[in-house]
Amino acid sequence: MPLLAGWLLRHSVVMCLLLHSLVLMTCCFHHAATSCSQSCYCTESETGGKTVRCSNLRLTEVPQDLPNDTRRVYLDNNLITSVPSDTFSDMPLLTELDLSHNELAQLEAGAFRGLGHSLHFLDLSSNKLVTFDPKAFEGLRTRANLTNNPWHCDCNLQMAMPHIDLEPMSLTGIVCQTSEPPDMGVEGVPFLLAKDLDLCVVMKKTTDVAMLVTMFGWFTMVISYLVYYVRHNTEDARRHLEYLKSLPGKQGKSEESSTISTVV
Ligand SMILES: *[C@@H]1O[C@H](CO)[C@@H](O)[C@H](O)[C@H]1NC(C)=O
Ligand SMILES: *[C@@H]1O[C@H](CO)[C@@H](O)[C@H](O)[C@H]1NC(C)=O
Protein backbone atom coordinates (compact mmCIF):
# COMPACT_ATOMS: atom_id res chain seq x y z
CA MET A 1 0.00 0.00 0.00
CA PRO A 2 2.67 2.61 0.91
CA LEU A 3 4.39 1.55 -2.28
CA LEU A 4 1.33 2.41 -4.39
CA ALA A 5 0.83 5.66 -2.55
CA GLY A 6 4.45 6.56 -3.16
CA TRP A 7 4.10 5.73 -6.86
CA LEU A 8 0.93 7.80 -7.18
CA LEU A 9 2.49 10.72 -5.36
CA ARG A 10 5.58 10.73 -7.53
CA HIS A 11 3.58 10.53 -10.73
CA SER A 12 1.09 13.12 -9.72
CA VAL A 13 3.96 15.50 -9.12
CA VAL A 14 5.23 14.79 -12.64
CA MET A 15 1.71 15.15 -14.03
CA CYS A 16 1.31 18.40 -12.23
CA LEU A 17 4.56 19.72 -13.61
CA LEU A 18 3.61 18.64 -17.12
CA LEU A 19 0.22 20.27 -16.84
CA HIS A 20 1.80 23.41 -15.46
CA SER A 21 4.29 23.72 -18.31
CA LEU A 22 1.51 23.03 -20.81
CA VAL A 23 -0.54 25.87 -19.39
CA LEU A 24 2.52 28.11 -19.43
CA MET A 25 3.29 27.26 -23.06
CA THR A 26 -0.26 27.96 -24.17
CA CYS A 27 -0.08 31.24 -22.36
CA CYS A 28 3.18 32.16 -24.05
CA PHE A 29 2.04 31.23 -27.54
CA HIS A 30 -1.20 33.06 -26.99
CA HIS A 31 0.79 36.08 -25.84
CA ALA A 32 3.06 35.92 -28.89
CA ALA A 33 0.13 35.56 -31.26
CA THR A 34 -1.76 38.55 -29.95
CA SER A 35 1.03 41.02 -29.32
CA CYS A 36 2.93 40.52 -32.56
CA SER A 37 2.66 41.45 -36.20
CA GLN A 38 0.18 39.44 -38.29
CA SER A 39 2.59 38.33 -40.98
CA CYS A 40 5.74 37.85 -38.91
CA TYR A 41 7.02 35.44 -36.33
CA CYS A 42 8.00 36.76 -32.92
CA THR A 43 10.09 35.51 -30.07
CA GLU A 44 10.70 37.09 -26.75
CA SER A 45 13.45 36.47 -24.26
CA GLU A 46 13.78 38.03 -20.85
CA THR A 47 17.28 39.32 -21.49
CA GLY A 48 17.15 40.17 -25.17
CA GLY A 49 13.64 41.57 -25.52
CA LYS A 50 11.38 41.05 -28.51
CA THR A 51 12.61 39.80 -31.90
CA VAL A 52 10.39 39.95 -34.98
CA ARG A 53 11.26 37.74 -37.94
CA CYS A 54 9.69 38.60 -41.29
CA SER A 55 12.33 37.06 -43.56
CA ASN A 56 11.45 35.41 -46.88
CA LEU A 57 7.80 36.43 -46.89
CA ARG A 58 7.65 38.22 -50.27
CA LEU A 59 6.64 41.37 -48.40
CA THR A 60 6.52 44.47 -50.60
CA GLU A 61 6.47 46.91 -47.72
CA VAL A 62 7.42 47.09 -44.05
CA PRO A 63 4.49 45.71 -41.98
CA GLN A 64 2.78 48.51 -40.10
CA ASP A 65 1.90 46.45 -37.05
CA LEU A 66 5.39 45.81 -35.69
CA PRO A 67 5.20 45.99 -31.87
CA ASN A 68 6.66 49.21 -30.46
CA ASP A 69 8.83 47.31 -27.95
CA THR A 70 10.67 45.31 -30.64
CA ARG A 71 14.45 45.11 -30.31
CA ARG A 72 15.35 43.29 -33.51
CA VAL A 73 13.54 43.17 -36.85
CA TYR A 74 14.56 40.82 -39.65
CA LEU A 75 12.97 41.95 -42.91
CA ASP A 76 15.60 40.42 -45.18
CA ASN A 77 14.92 38.53 -48.41
CA ASN A 78 11.66 40.29 -49.26
CA LEU A 79 10.51 42.56 -52.10
CA ILE A 80 10.43 45.84 -50.19
CA THR A 81 10.99 48.79 -52.55
CA SER A 82 10.92 51.75 -50.18
CA VAL A 83 11.05 52.79 -46.56
CA PRO A 84 8.72 55.76 -46.03
CA SER A 85 9.74 58.42 -43.54
CA ASP A 86 9.00 57.71 -39.86
CA THR A 87 8.43 53.98 -40.46
CA PHE A 88 10.25 53.05 -37.26
CA SER A 89 9.88 56.28 -35.31
CA ASP A 90 7.65 54.72 -32.61
CA MET A 91 10.08 51.87 -31.88
CA PRO A 92 12.44 53.41 -29.31
CA LEU A 93 14.05 50.09 -28.33
CA LEU A 94 15.06 48.94 -31.83
CA THR A 95 18.74 47.98 -31.86
CA GLU A 96 19.01 45.88 -35.01
CA LEU A 97 17.27 46.33 -38.33
CA ASP A 98 17.89 43.94 -41.20
CA LEU A 99 16.61 45.11 -44.59
CA SER A 100 19.15 43.18 -46.66
CA HIS A 101 18.25 41.38 -49.90
CA ASN A 102 15.32 43.59 -50.82
CA GLU A 103 14.47 45.86 -53.76
CA LEU A 104 15.28 49.16 -52.08
CA ALA A 105 16.28 51.66 -54.74
CA GLN A 106 16.17 54.82 -52.65
CA LEU A 107 15.97 55.90 -49.05
CA GLU A 108 13.58 58.68 -48.27
CA ALA A 109 14.41 61.53 -45.91
CA GLY A 110 13.57 60.52 -42.35
CA ALA A 111 13.36 56.78 -43.19
CA PHE A 112 15.16 55.89 -39.96
CA ARG A 113 14.07 58.89 -37.92
CA GLY A 114 13.84 58.24 -34.20
CA LEU A 115 16.39 55.40 -34.15
CA GLY A 116 19.42 57.58 -33.44
CA HIS A 117 19.74 56.55 -29.80
CA SER A 118 18.88 52.87 -29.96
CA LEU A 119 20.02 51.41 -33.27
CA HIS A 120 23.32 49.52 -33.29
CA PHE A 121 23.23 47.80 -36.65
CA LEU A 122 21.46 48.58 -39.90
CA ASP A 123 21.76 46.08 -42.74
CA LEU A 124 20.99 47.52 -46.18
CA SER A 125 23.25 45.17 -48.11
CA SER A 126 22.20 43.50 -51.37
CA ASN A 127 19.58 46.02 -52.41
CA LYS A 128 19.21 48.28 -55.48
CA LEU A 129 20.57 51.41 -53.83
CA VAL A 130 22.09 53.85 -56.33
CA THR A 131 22.22 56.97 -54.22
CA PHE A 132 20.52 58.39 -51.12
CA ASP A 133 19.17 61.51 -49.59
CA PRO A 134 21.59 62.39 -46.75
CA LYS A 135 18.54 63.18 -44.63
CA ALA A 136 17.68 59.46 -44.69
CA PHE A 137 20.47 58.79 -42.21
CA GLU A 138 19.76 61.88 -40.12
CA GLY A 139 21.00 61.37 -36.56
CA LEU A 140 22.22 57.79 -37.14
CA ARG A 141 25.72 56.97 -35.90
CA THR A 142 25.20 53.25 -36.16
CA ARG A 143 27.19 50.57 -37.94
CA ALA A 144 25.66 49.80 -41.30
CA ASN A 145 26.20 47.28 -44.06
CA LEU A 146 25.87 49.12 -47.38
CA THR A 147 27.67 46.57 -49.56
CA ASN A 148 26.31 44.85 -52.67
CA ASN A 149 24.39 47.82 -54.00
CA PRO A 150 24.77 49.35 -57.49
CA TRP A 151 26.10 52.66 -56.12
CA HIS A 152 26.34 55.46 -58.68
CA CYS A 153 29.19 57.75 -57.69
CA ASP A 154 28.63 61.32 -58.84
CA CYS A 155 28.69 64.87 -57.60
CA ASN A 156 25.44 64.33 -55.64
CA LEU A 157 26.93 61.43 -53.70
CA GLN A 158 30.13 63.39 -53.09
CA MET A 159 28.11 66.27 -51.65
CA ALA A 160 26.01 63.91 -49.51
CA MET A 161 28.92 62.03 -47.92
CA PRO A 162 30.08 64.73 -45.46
CA HIS A 163 26.55 64.85 -44.01
CA ILE A 164 26.53 61.15 -43.08
CA ASP A 165 27.23 60.36 -39.42
CA LEU A 166 27.17 56.57 -39.80
CA GLU A 167 30.15 54.73 -38.34
CA PRO A 168 32.94 55.63 -40.82
CA MET A 169 33.91 52.01 -41.53
CA SER A 170 30.38 51.41 -42.80
CA LEU A 171 30.89 53.92 -45.60
CA THR A 172 33.55 51.70 -47.17
CA GLY A 173 30.62 49.54 -48.25
CA ILE A 174 29.72 52.17 -50.84
CA VAL A 175 31.58 50.67 -53.79
CA CYS A 176 31.00 52.58 -57.02
CA GLN A 177 29.44 50.50 -59.75
CA THR A 178 28.94 53.39 -62.18
CA SER A 179 30.08 56.99 -62.09
CA GLU A 180 29.36 60.38 -63.54
CA PRO A 181 31.55 61.45 -65.29
CA PRO A 182 32.22 57.89 -66.51
CA ASP A 183 35.70 56.42 -66.90
CA MET A 184 37.13 58.20 -63.88
CA GLY A 185 38.52 54.90 -62.64
CA VAL A 186 36.23 54.73 -59.59
CA GLU A 187 34.21 51.73 -60.78
CA GLY A 188 34.79 48.86 -58.39
CA VAL A 189 36.44 51.16 -55.85
CA PRO A 190 35.01 52.14 -52.46
CA PHE A 191 33.97 55.77 -52.78
CA LEU A 192 35.87 56.72 -49.63
CA LEU A 193 39.14 55.55 -51.18
CA ALA A 194 38.59 57.81 -54.20
CA LYS A 195 38.89 60.80 -51.89
CA ASP A 196 41.25 62.86 -54.04
CA LEU A 197 38.86 62.56 -56.91
CA ASP A 198 36.54 65.52 -57.47
CA LEU A 199 33.41 64.34 -59.24
CA CYS A 200 31.96 67.85 -59.04
CA VAL A 201 34.81 69.45 -60.97
CA VAL A 202 33.24 68.67 -64.33
CA MET A 203 29.99 70.18 -63.19
CA LYS A 204 31.83 73.28 -62.02
CA LYS A 205 33.54 73.48 -65.41
CA THR A 206 30.19 73.21 -67.16
CA THR A 207 28.84 76.06 -65.04
CA ASP A 208 31.89 78.14 -65.83
CA VAL A 209 31.45 77.57 -69.57
CA ALA A 210 27.75 78.40 -69.33
CA MET A 211 28.59 81.63 -67.54
CA LEU A 212 31.20 82.52 -70.14
CA VAL A 213 28.77 81.88 -72.99
CA THR A 214 26.11 84.02 -71.32
CA MET A 215 28.57 86.84 -70.72
CA PHE A 216 29.80 86.63 -74.30
CA GLY A 217 26.18 86.76 -75.49
CA TRP A 218 25.51 89.90 -73.50
CA PHE A 219 28.71 91.46 -74.68
CA THR A 220 27.86 90.74 -78.33
CA MET A 221 24.42 92.22 -77.88
CA VAL A 222 25.76 95.43 -76.34
CA ILE A 223 28.43 95.78 -79.05
CA SER A 224 25.99 95.19 -81.89
CA TYR A 225 23.60 97.68 -80.38
CA LEU A 226 26.38 100.26 -80.13
CA VAL A 227 27.48 99.61 -83.72
CA TYR A 228 23.91 99.83 -84.92
CA TYR A 229 23.37 103.03 -82.95
CA VAL A 230 26.50 104.70 -84.28
CA ARG A 231 25.83 103.63 -87.89
CA HIS A 232 22.24 104.71 -87.74
CA ASN A 233 23.21 108.10 -86.35
CA THR A 234 26.04 108.57 -88.85
CA GLU A 235 23.59 107.84 -91.63
CA ASP A 236 21.17 110.36 -90.18
CA ALA A 237 23.89 112.92 -89.68
CA ARG A 238 25.19 112.43 -93.22
CA ARG A 239 21.75 112.86 -94.68
CA HIS A 240 21.22 115.89 -92.51
CA LEU A 241 24.56 117.33 -93.60
CA GLU A 242 23.77 116.79 -97.25
CA TYR A 243 20.49 118.49 -96.73
CA LEU A 244 22.21 121.42 -95.05
CA LYS A 245 24.82 121.61 -97.78
CA SER A 246 22.10 121.90 -100.35
CA LEU A 247 20.85 124.97 -98.51
CA PRO A 248 22.41 128.30 -99.59
CA GLY A 249 23.93 130.94 -97.27
CA LYS A 250 25.69 131.37 -93.94
CA GLN A 251 23.01 129.88 -91.77
CA GLY A 252 23.58 126.50 -93.34
CA LYS A 253 27.31 126.58 -92.56
CA SER A 254 26.91 127.38 -88.89
CA GLU A 255 24.27 124.64 -88.58
CA GLU A 256 26.62 122.34 -90.40
CA SER A 257 29.40 122.83 -87.88
CA SER A 258 27.04 122.42 -84.96
CA THR A 259 25.71 119.17 -86.43
CA ILE A 260 29.23 117.88 -86.90
CA SER A 261 30.12 118.64 -83.33
CA THR A 262 26.98 116.80 -82.20
CA VAL A 263 27.95 113.77 -84.25
CA VAL A 264 31.46 113.80 -82.91
C1 LIG B 1 4.09 51.13 -26.75
O1 LIG B 1 2.81 51.71 -26.91
C2 LIG B 1 2.04 51.67 -25.71
C3 LIG B 1 0.65 52.18 -26.03
O2 LIG B 1 0.66 53.27 -26.88
C4 LIG B 1 2.73 52.52 -24.65
O3 LIG B 1 2.00 52.51 -23.45
C5 LIG B 1 4.12 51.95 -24.41
O4 LIG B 1 4.83 52.76 -23.49
C6 LIG B 1 4.91 51.85 -25.71
N1 LIG B 1 6.14 51.17 -25.46
C7 LIG B 1 7.30 51.66 -25.81
C8 LIG B 1 8.49 50.83 -25.53
O5 LIG B 1 7.40 52.76 -26.35
C1 LIG C 1 27.36 42.73 -45.37
O1 LIG C 1 26.46 42.05 -46.20
C2 LIG C 1 27.06 41.14 -47.09
C3 LIG C 1 25.98 40.62 -48.04
O2 LIG C 1 24.73 40.64 -47.52
C4 LIG C 1 27.75 40.04 -46.29
O3 LIG C 1 28.34 39.13 -47.16
C5 LIG C 1 28.79 40.68 -45.39
O4 LIG C 1 29.38 39.71 -44.56
C6 LIG C 1 28.18 41.75 -44.52
N1 LIG C 1 29.23 42.49 -43.83
C7 LIG C 1 29.15 42.82 -42.54
C8 LIG C 1 30.30 43.57 -42.00
O5 LIG C 1 28.19 42.53 -41.85
Side-chain angles (χ1 to χ4, degrees):
M1 195 65 189
L3 210 79
L4 187 71
W7 187 86
L8 262 179
L9 197 73
R10 236 183 303 146
H11 280 256
S12 68
V13 166
V14 171
M15 290 289 245
C16 234
L17 276 175
L18 265 176
L19 208 76
H20 189 71
S21 52
L22 204 76
V23 166
L24 261 180
M25 266 165 73
T26 327
C27 257
C28 284
F29 276 124
H30 181 71
H31 182 72
T34 50
S35 70
C36 191
S37 166
Q38 262 189 356
S39 42
C40 306
Y41 166 75
C42 302
T43 51
E44 191 157 4
S45 81
E46 274 183 32
T47 50
K50 194 170 281 177
T51 299
V52 183
R53 294 178 193 280
C54 319
S55 313
N56 280 303
L57 292 175
R58 306 189 70 78
L59 299 175
T60 53
E61 53 187 37
V62 178
Q64 291 183 356
D65 57 353
L66 298 175
N68 66 349
D69 57 347
T70 302
R71 306 239 180 185
R72 281 170 298 275
V73 183
Y74 297 100
L75 285 158
D76 54 295
N77 292 285
N78 281 296
L79 305 168
I80 298 168
T81 52
S82 78
V83 178
S85 54
D86 291 307
T87 301
F88 305 100
S89 58
D90 67 339
M91 297 170 71
L93 305 179
L94 198 62
T95 58
E96 193 176 338
L97 175 56
D98 187 350
L99 281 161
S100 66
H101 296 93
N102 274 287
E103 304 284 322
L104 292 173
Q106 58 179 26
L107 299 171
E108 285 175 35
F112 306 110
R113 192 178 288 141
L115 298 179
H117 295 292
S118 60
L119 202 65
H120 288 156
F121 183 52
L122 173 63
D123 198 342
L124 291 168
S125 65
S126 303
N127 273 284
K128 302 268 159 66
L129 294 172
V130 172
T131 190
F132 53 79
D133 184 335
K135 292 200 177 80
F137 295 122
E138 218 169 27
L140 283 192
R141 292 173 188 279
T142 178
R143 187 163 63 88
N145 191 341
L146 302 171
T147 60
N148 286 342
N149 281 288
W151 294 109
H152 178 69
C153 296
D154 62 356
C155 186
N156 280 334
L157 194 73
Q158 183 176 320
M159 308 252 267
M161 288 299 249
H163 301 287
I164 305 301
D165 293 327
L166 292 175
E167 187 207 74
M169 269 303 284
S170 312
L171 298 182
T172 56
I174 301 181
V175 175
C176 307
Q177 198 168 93
T178 54
S179 75
E180 176 60 46
D183 307 320
M184 294 286 277
V186 292
E187 285 90 352
V189 175
F191 186 74
L192 275 194
L193 298 186
K195 226 172 200 169
D196 305 333
L197 206 73
D198 191 355
L199 294 176
C200 293
V201 82
V202 174
M203 208 175 84
K204 275 180 216 145
K205 266 189 200 152
T206 322
T207 346
D208 284 355
V209 168
M211 208 130 104
L212 215 70
V213 167
T214 319
M215 270 167 64
F216 185 75
W218 275 105
F219 195 65
T220 319
M221 258 169 71
V222 169
I223 294 288
S224 15
Y225 179 72
L226 272 175
V227 168
Y228 166 79
Y229 183 82
V230 167
R231 277 213 188 138
H232 190 76
N233 275 337
T234 329
E235 192 81 358
D236 263 8
R238 201 173 49 76
R239 257 189 274 128
H240 196 64
L241 270 177
E242 266 160 22
Y243 167 72
L244 288 178
K245 270 183 198 158
S246 67
L247 289 177
K250 246 190 167 178
Q251 192 203 354
K253 269 197 182 142
S254 71
E255 279 233 359
E256 189 177 318
S257 55
S258 78
T259 320
I260 286 170
S261 62
T262 334
V263 169
V264 171

